[in-house]
Amino acid sequence: MEEHIVKAIASLLTPVANEGVKKLFQSNAKAGDALTAALTENLANVIKEADSTEIARRMLAKEQQVKLRKQFNFENVAALAIELASTRPAETRRPIDEDWFLRWFEAAEEVSDSTVQMLWARAFDQQADENKRKISLRAIETLRLMEREDVLNFRRAVDVFERFGVVAVSSIKILQGLMRGHDLDSLVDQNLLTVEEYQLSNIAVPGGFSVYFKLPEGLWAPDPIRQYRLSARARELATTLPDSIVFDGLTEEMFDVSDPLVTARYINIFADGLDNRYEVMLAIHPYEGKRPPPAGIKRTHIWEHIEKRWIRVIEPQCAINPNLLAAFEDGYGINCISHDLI
């Protein structure tokens, strides 16, 4: 762009930088109108002085570059989608609604990142598969807002919540063990995670573990317990995530959800996050679905607040990995003395 045009455009901002003009603009509507008129006139002069032929040439070149980029993006996503579809029997194919395809097409041509492109390809493949759940237009709009970092964070969240189901938060340590703070907020903002607060007295953890906690009679719980879970939209979109995505933002404090001891770490940190006035009990019981046995269960451990570990009261009446049991009783994840158990 010619130097005189750059200077002219830059001069458009000069009146706003003047404090006197700022005050007039804020306090006097007429002054604001006058300033707007001056800016408009200045811009008109810039356009008048510009070389229209050169501007037209650049506009055409820009338009072509944008179209090429969109075409490349669409072809890459389409190729991935075709590759996925080729592995599916023809009899399972489902026709795709025209409105849905138009939304998908408009979004796919805007995506340049290969990780996000795979997300869109898998969404298309799922929509065309009679045996899979359809992706709603609402979910498509959520996908449109997701950048590479969002996809990575979502992959991490799905892994965490597939392991724990619902995550009860008694302290910041649990949040640090799940996600980076701003990533967690972003997932909530995108309606991929929901968070609610409850006055709870117990939580159930998949695998056959229940934690009960109570205060002495007459005392009220000081704070509610926050519970995070995947939203309905997240569960809808989770199947579009490529399995090969690896969350690359792990910190030293974050849980390794593939670790066989991660359940002990989560439960230990939850117990440690409760006020030391609580009596906290753990029951290890046979795993029957997602809930404890309806007939009631006996506590197997009591939490020792000072030593930060579980004290065994009775032997668990079910089989349990001895390394996992040791992780509970050593305070794994808090005192960090059991990292080499497995």
Side-chain angles (χ1 to χ4, degrees), residues 95 123 233 254 286 319:
R233 188 168 303 176
M254 292 181 75

Side-chain angles (χ1 to χ4, degrees), residues 4-49:
H4 75 282
I5 297 178
V6 175
K7 290 182 178 179
I9 292 176
S11 71
L12 295 176
L13 303 177
T14 303
V16 181
N18 183 281
E19 289 299 323
V21 175
K22 281 184 181 180
K23 292 179 181 179
L24 286 173
F25 185 80
Q26 293 169 356
S27 61
N28 190 320
K30 292 184 178 179
D33 293 340
L35 179 59
T36 301
L39 291 172
T40 302
E41 181 181 357
N42 202 353
L43 179 59
N45 290 335
V46 170
I47 296 174
K48 183 178 180 180
E49 295 173 6

Side-chain angles (χ1 to χ4, degrees), residues 72-297:
F72 287 146
N73 290 344
F74 174 73
E75 289 183 3
N76 286 340
V77 176
L80 291 170
I82 292 171
E83 182 180 350
L84 290 171
S86 66
T87 64
R88 183 166 25 84
E91 59 269 19
T92 66
R93 292 176 185 170
R94 175 172 53 202
I96 292 181
D97 178 77
E98 184 177 343
D99 289 339
W100 190 96
F101 177 78
L102 180 61
R103 298 276 187 93
W104 179 86
F105 175 86
E106 290 175 344
E109 66 178 6
E110 297 291 342
V111 177
S112 300
D113 182 83
S114 59
T115 298
V116 186
Q117 285 181 345
M118 176 57 75
L119 198 73
W120 283 98
R122 287 174 64 98
F124 184 90
D125 177 62
Q126 180 168 330
Q127 192 73 2
D129 190 341
E130 187 68 41
N131 296 326
K132 295 181 180 179
R133 176 180 179 177
K134 285 187 175 182
I135 303 295
S136 67
L137 291 178
R138 294 185 301 275
I140 284 289
E141 291 306 307
T142 298
L143 280 177
R144 292 187 73 147
L145 298 175
M146 294 180 71
E147 303 175 15
R148 174 181 172 81
E149 191 71 11
D150 297 319
V151 176
L152 297 177
N153 295 335
F154 186 34
R155 171 77 271 174
R156 166 69 179 177
V158 169
D159 291 342
V160 167
F161 287 90
E162 282 184 347
R163 181 67 183 262
F164 295 113
V166 177
V167 173
V169 175
S170 61
S171 74
I172 189 65
K173 285 185 178 181
I174 293 177
L175 294 181
Q176 292 170 339
L178 292 174
M179 309 282 295
R180 295 169 298 192
H182 63 282
D183 296 336
L184 197 65
D185 291 340
S186 177
L187 291 170
V188 172
D189 184 59
Q190 294 179 61
N191 195 25
L192 295 173
L193 288 186
T194 62
V195 56
E196 296 178 284
E197 293 188 338
Y198 299 97
Q199 292 292 352
L200 300 177
S201 61
N202 65 84
I203 64 168
V205 180
F209 307 96
S210 297
V211 180
Y212 297 82
F213 40 98
K214 64 179 182 179
L215 287 168
E217 187 175 352
L219 288 181
W220 291 91
D223 295 299
I225 301 296
R226 275 178 289 169
Q227 287 194 316
Y228 288 83
R229 69 185 74 216
L230 289 178
S231 68
R233 188 168 303 176
R235 294 193 297 273
E236 180 181 355
L237 293 176
T239 52
T240 67
L241 286 168
D243 297 329
S244 59
I245 291 180
V246 177
F247 185 83
D248 57 1
L250 294 174
T251 65
E252 186 176 345
E253 296 82 13
M254 292 181 75
F255 300 158
D256 175 5
V257 293
S258 66
D259 183 352
L261 304 183
V262 69
T263 297
R265 181 178 185 187
Y266 164 59
I267 291 176
N268 291 350
I269 293 177
F270 179 85
D272 186 53
L274 294 171
D275 188 286
N276 60 15
R277 292 171 295 177
Y278 277 101
E279 181 183 1
V280 189
M281 295 154 282
L282 172 67
I284 301 175
H285 52 80
Y287 185 51
E288 302 176 3
K290 296 184 178 180
R291 304 291 302 173
I297 48 180

